[in-house]
Amino acid sequence: MELKDVSKRYGGTVALDAVDLDVGQGETVAVLGPNGAGKTTLLSIALGLLDPGSGAVRVFGRTPVEALHAGGVGVLLQDSGLLEDARVAELVAAVAGMYPRPLPVEAAMRAAGVAELATRRVGRLSGGQQQRVRFALALVGDPKLLVLDEPTVGLDVESRRALWQEVRARTAQGSTVIFATHYLTEADDYADRVVLLAGGKIIADGPVNTIKSLVGGTEVRFVFEGADASGFETLPGVRQVRIEGRAVALHTGDSDATLRALFAAFDDVREVHTMSTDLESAVVSLAGGAGR
Ligand SMILES: Nc1ncnc2c1ncn2[C@@H]1O[C@H](COP(=O)(O)OP(=O)(O)OP(=O)(O)O)[C@@H](O)[C@H]1O
């Protein structure tokens, strides 16, 4: 899949800004970025569901719509509507009928964990069950490219694990997978490559470890029980401060100096631990630096 210099505006909002992206066969790519970064816009343009304002898109060397019609692409989009009155097996069979070489309906339902729901009406399923039905619809065409927009939203732990197991099975057979997620552990665990969007631009693109190393440094995390949490940003080495309730994370280029000064300046600091920068810190730091 190839996007060249793709831009998209909605009135005064620039949803995508001169995006270049080349995804090779067999890659698993996570698209990350804060709300409104342009992830859904990017995936929708790659699928031909949305026209780019400018630029060129090719999927398997064709236009996205041609690739979709040729049956090469499976899609799971956020909150896409489902035919509520249909029974699960009927819906999966109807979508299978649109593809030239679909999987057996039963196999697609099993792969997505909805075989036991086959005779249930879609509209009466829970949110997580409906999401699994969407996954079955993405799989049933036996596509070489899977495009998944926040695929595990609403899924319980076991269903998430099962979904990723199925995705892995497909990539092992050479399929390409592009997924958007806010669960950074999913990107860390399942993607070969991370594309980080902020404000419609790609601000980082590479293997997970490369993205982490762009930020580098160490996280010092602790619980702060004091009354006044101001001043952490002035400690030596500190580049960024995140505070969530009583949990504080300092991103620092010199953890020894930060820790010494932290203990000297603040009482009520407990449960201190340090770790090398994880993907979450890297994404927060890079996306924040892009001037959200
Ligand atoms: N139909 C639309 N009309 C107007 N503006 C839109 C439309 N769709 C998206 N936008 C704007 O384009 C930008 C990118 O939106 P997009 O949905 O691609 O972001 P996202 O990264 O998928 O966000 P989220 O993480 O919240 O799903 C946002 O500023 C959004 O408000």
Side-chain angles (χ1 to χ4, degrees):
M1 190 191 87
E2 196 181 8
L3 277 77
K4 269 206 182 122
D5 201 20
V6 168
S7 296
K8 177 76 185 174
R9 284 176 164 276
Y10 293 102
T13 307
V14 180
L16 280 186
D17 188 2
V19 164
D20 287 310
L21 180 65
D22 204 342
V23 177
Q25 183 71 41
E27 280 194 284
T28 306
V29 179
V31 181
L32 308 181
N35 291 138
K39 303 179 295 296
T40 300
T41 304
L42 174 73
L43 298 184
S44 302
I45 287 175
L47 291 165
L49 301 174
L50 200 59
D51 277 331
S54 61
V57 187
R58 305 297 281 175
V59 177
F60 298 122
R62 311 167 179 218
T63 67
V65 172
E66 285 167 354
L68 210 56
H69 287 160
V73 187
V75 184
L76 183 158
L77 282 180
Q78 266 184 70
D79 302 326
S80 54
L82 294 168
L83 286 173
E84 300 219 331
D85 287 337
R87 295 182 195 277
V88 170
E90 291 166 357
L91 182 60
V92 177
V95 172
M98 297 180 208
Y99 283 93
R101 291 168 300 280
L103 294 175
V105 169
E106 175 68 24
M109 290 195 301
R110 243 185 296 112
V114 294
E116 74 282 9
L117 305 174
T119 58
R120 299 272 305 275
R121 288 199 194 277
V122 173
R124 307 240 174 97
L125 299 178
S126 74
Q129 289 169 333
Q130 290 190 355
Q131 188 71 347
R132 275 153 43 197
V133 171
R134 288 190 188 93
F135 187 49
L137 301 181
L139 294 176
V140 74
D142 196 18
K144 281 274 159 233
L145 169 64
L146 262 182
V147 178
L148 310 171
D149 194 4
E150 302 191 27
T152 58
V153 165
L155 295 190
D156 60 33
V157 176
E158 202 179 319
S159 303
R160 276 182 195 199
R161 199 173 294 149
L163 180 142
W164 289 117
Q165 207 172 351
E166 185 56 34
V167 168
R168 272 210 168 134
R170 298 200 66 86
T171 53
Q173 292 163 12
S175 290
T176 309
V177 179
I178 303 175
F179 66 97
T181 186
H182 287 290
Y183 302 117
L184 300 188
T185 50
E186 295 188 337
D188 213 345
D189 291 345
Y190 301 107
D192 314 318
R193 174 177 165 196
V194 165
V195 170
L196 179 56
L197 277 175
K201 284 185 196 293
I202 294 181
I203 56 168
D205 179 357
V208 174
N209 285 337
T210 306
I211 303 290
K212 290 179 190 171
S213 68
L214 286 177
V215 173
T218 307
E219 288 261 307
V220 174
R221 295 191 181 185
F222 54 89
V223 173
F224 183 63
E225 298 200 317
D228 182 5
S230 61
F232 292 127
E233 65 284 353
T234 62
L235 296 173
V238 170
R239 297 171 183 161
Q240 197 180 41
V241 178
R242 295 204 319 274
I243 302 177
E244 282 171 29
R246 293 183 305 136
V248 180
L250 307 179
H251 181 241
T252 171
D254 185 347
S255 53
D256 291 340
T258 302
L259 282 168
R260 271 195 295 271
L262 175 70
F263 287 124
F266 291 90
D267 295 327
D268 304 319
V269 169
R270 291 194 299 107
E271 297 177 38
V272 180
H273 60 282
T274 62
M275 56 177 72
S276 56
T277 302
D278 61 12
L279 184 59
E280 179 169 332
S281 314
V283 166
V284 169
S285 177
L286 291 166
R292 273 208 293 149

